Amino acid sequence: MTETLLAVDAETLPQTRHLATSIPGPRSTALHAERIAHVTNGFGITLPVFVARADGGIIEDVDGNRLIDFASGIAVTSLGASNKRVAERVSAQLNAFTHTCFMVTEYESFTQVCAWLNANTPGDFDKRTGLFSTGAEAVENAIKIARAATGRPNVLVFDEAYHGRSLLTMAMTAKVNPYKLNFGPLPAEIIRAASANPLRPAEGLESGAAAALESVEATILEHGADSFAAMVIEPIQGEGGFIVPAAGFIPGLRKLADKYGIVLVIDEIQAGMGRTGALFASEHEGVAGDLILTAKALANGVPLSAVTGRTELMNAPHAGGLGGTYAGNPLACEAALAVFEQFQDGSLLANARRIEEVAREILEPLLSSTAIVAEVRGRGAMLAIELADAGTLTPRADKAKEISAACHAAGVLTLTCGTHGNVVRLLPPLVIGEELLRDGLAVLAQAITDAAN
């Protein structure tokens, strides 16, 4: 792994794990008490530490602890949380102007971001792009575009999907708690179909793509094929458990979309922008969506999202039908252009692939040495360990929680996910150094071994 990619001054923020206090430390604990006094309880928290600095693969908290970052702000700060080139471009824009609203007066960076996405997203057809602020906005605008283009109402989504927290995207998301609980009623035009989870096939289906695709087609026909505007799929299902679909499933969805005139929307919000070792995760499947969604790492932490797709679809909405006050904010556009610059030489993609190699080397032996690791899966720097009892595959959310807590106490930030809450997910920055990566993975492997005994 190329250490020179780290945009960190080692004298400023050493890329080593260090525990100065317990986790959380006293100052974080005091600040968290203030948070409770002033912030709604509706916001959850993975680890109640307050950050002083962060970059590369390290988060330094207000107590002087340095934690290894296996979260990247949920796949956002892929180039480090204080990336030098991002800071330079955003700073220059900040000194020029912070906002005009692109729908009122224009600026070139918006067009430049759109041009890059048109050129670099999968598909050799003519494209247009619209910029927004959040992933949920990108999803909702994709549905608006598909409905405008087709004149149809329904949207097909899948088991174990996650698409956001807005009213429409809550309906599209599969998991009820915490995402939909108590927030209904939800839009009714959302139809859910089987996914192709290799470890846990949908109830009544055999493992593999063929049975799942047969079930998907039956669902389409049951509700009327000519009622569907779009089908929306994550190339790797994120919150659902970092599920890599069975081989052939996404290409099969492409065929079904073509067969029935349905717009295929590929949600690359978490898996895109180099996370899986390819610029876009759908490249692994050899599939181009009619619309492709990006956000999260697109601007390395500055809020920006995009819908990119076939020109005839993207131009279907009437003028003024798309937009938003902050859509494609100029600071975010400059951040994205800085991100694009750093993908040019291919080093970041190589790093993502190397992260997977190292992680599998350390974690896959746990499949045979413990009785609670059901699967190590993922692509590139989007990896997961599913915890379940050997033989029965009974989900062990308690073990995932125990393992993450042990990692946190040792100074390694991990996240959990999955329909059953039994998956530990890894999203290290693409710029993490190999020595630091191995240190964090060793802590995780020991935590899993301890939890298995």
Side-chain angles (χ1 to χ4, degrees):
M1 187 171 289
T2 307
E3 297 290 340
T4 55
L5 282 176
L6 287 174
V8 179
D9 182 343
E11 295 181 2
T12 301
L13 186 56
Q15 294 295 294
T16 54
R17 179 168 57 102
H18 172 70
L19 296 181
T21 71
S22 59
I23 306 292
R27 189 154 181 234
S28 280
T29 299
L31 290 171
H32 186 67
E34 289 187 28
R35 168 235 169 94
I36 292 172
H38 299 292
V39 179
T40 168
N41 289 341
F43 280 81
I45 181 65
T46 297
L47 182 58
V49 301
F50 279 69
V51 178
R53 300 183 298 173
D55 202 10
I58 288 291
I59 293 171
E60 184 177 79
D61 71 13
V62 292
D63 291 290
N65 299 298
R66 294 197 299 273
L67 288 71
I68 299 176
D69 183 9
F70 280 175
S72 298
I74 315 183
V76 171
T77 53
S78 291
L79 277 61
S82 301
N83 183 270
K84 183 177 180 181
R85 186 59 182 145
V86 170
E88 288 173 346
R89 291 197 70 138
V90 172
S91 179
Q93 180 59 52
L94 190 64
N95 287 326
F97 60 91
T98 61
H99 179 70
T100 72
C101 186
F102 191 74
M103 298 178 297
V104 178
T105 56
E106 301 168 303
Y107 38 91
E108 188 177 7
S109 58
F110 190 113
T111 304
Q112 290 172 333
V113 171
C114 292
W116 189 93
L117 288 167
N118 292 340
N120 287 278
T121 48
D124 59 1
F125 40 82
D126 192 54
K127 300 178 190 136
R128 295 293 185 273
T129 291
L131 302 183
F132 306 96
S133 299
T134 69
E137 281 185 272
V139 175
E140 293 217 0
N141 278 282
I143 301 308
K144 288 164 63 175
I145 291 163
R147 284 173 170 170
T150 64
R152 300 171 174 183
N154 285 344
V155 178
L156 188 72
V157 295
F158 295 88
D159 291 343
E160 297 160 317
Y162 178 84
H163 297 293
R165 292 175 179 268
S166 62
L167 196 65
L168 178 59
T169 58
M170 275 194 297
M172 296 171 66
T173 292
K175 194 172 181 179
V176 174
N177 189 6
Y179 302 113
K180 298 192 282 189
L181 186 66
N182 301 325
F183 295 144
L186 300 173
E189 299 86 359
I190 307 301
I191 312 298
R192 196 167 306 282
S195 60
N197 183 335
L199 184 67
R200 298 180 184 277
E203 187 175 352
L205 298 184
E206 296 179 1
S207 182
L213 288 167
E214 184 177 339
S215 176
V216 171
E217 186 166 22
T219 300
I220 291 171
L221 294 175
E222 176 188 352
H223 293 272
D226 60 359
S227 72
F228 285 96
M231 63 169 69
V232 187
I233 186 73
E234 302 157 89
I236 296 179
Q237 291 181 302
E239 177 62 22
F242 279 33
I243 298 163
V244 180
F249 183 65
I250 291 181
L253 294 182
R254 172 74 276 176
K255 292 177 181 178
L256 288 175
D258 291 340
K259 181 177 180 179
Y260 295 113
I262 302 170
V263 176
L264 177 61
V265 181
I266 304 289
D267 181 344
E268 295 258 12
I269 288 166
Q270 184 164 179
M273 295 308 299
R275 176 54 53 182
T276 66
L279 198 55
F280 296 97
S282 50
E283 294 178 48
H284 295 287
E285 308 289 346
V287 170
D290 299 308
L291 302 176
I292 187 169
L293 313 182
T294 48
K296 286 189 178 286
L298 179 60
N300 204 58
V302 185
L304 184 68
S305 64
V307 182
T308 303
R310 295 180 181 275
T311 296
E312 63 272 23
L313 299 176
M314 294 297 298
N315 285 346
H318 56 277
L322 304 179
T325 300
Y326 298 109
N329 173 270
L331 299 175
C333 287
E334 288 294 335
L337 293 172
V339 169
F340 301 159
E341 289 177 11
Q342 294 170 80
F343 273 107
Q344 287 179 356
D345 68 2
S347 299
L348 289 168
L349 300 181
N351 271 14
R353 295 189 290 270
R354 178 60 180 158
I355 287 168
E356 180 180 357
E357 290 174 3
V358 173
R360 289 189 179 277
E361 171 196 325
I362 293 172
L363 298 176
E364 286 187 336
L366 298 169
L367 289 164
S368 57
S369 67
T370 75
I372 61 169
V373 176
E375 191 170 45
V376 176
R377 59 175 176 257
R379 286 181 168 138
M382 186 175 183
L383 302 168
I385 307 99
E386 178 155 349
L387 288 308
D389 288 336
T392 66
L393 283 184
T394 300
R396 294 301 300 271
D398 59 328
K399 293 297 182 183
K401 184 177 180 180
E402 177 184 344
I403 290 162
S404 275
C407 288
H408 296 167
V412 178
L413 177 59
T414 59
L415 303 173
T416 59
C417 66
T419 299
H420 306 286
N422 65 322
V423 177
V424 176
R425 55 175 162 172
L426 305 178
L427 291 163
L430 305 187
V431 296
I432 193 171
E434 185 164 326
E435 184 176 352
L436 189 63
L437 174 66
R438 286 183 177 275
D439 182 25
L441 290 170
V443 170
L444 172 60
Q446 186 61 55
I448 294 171
T449 299
D450 292 345
N453 292 332

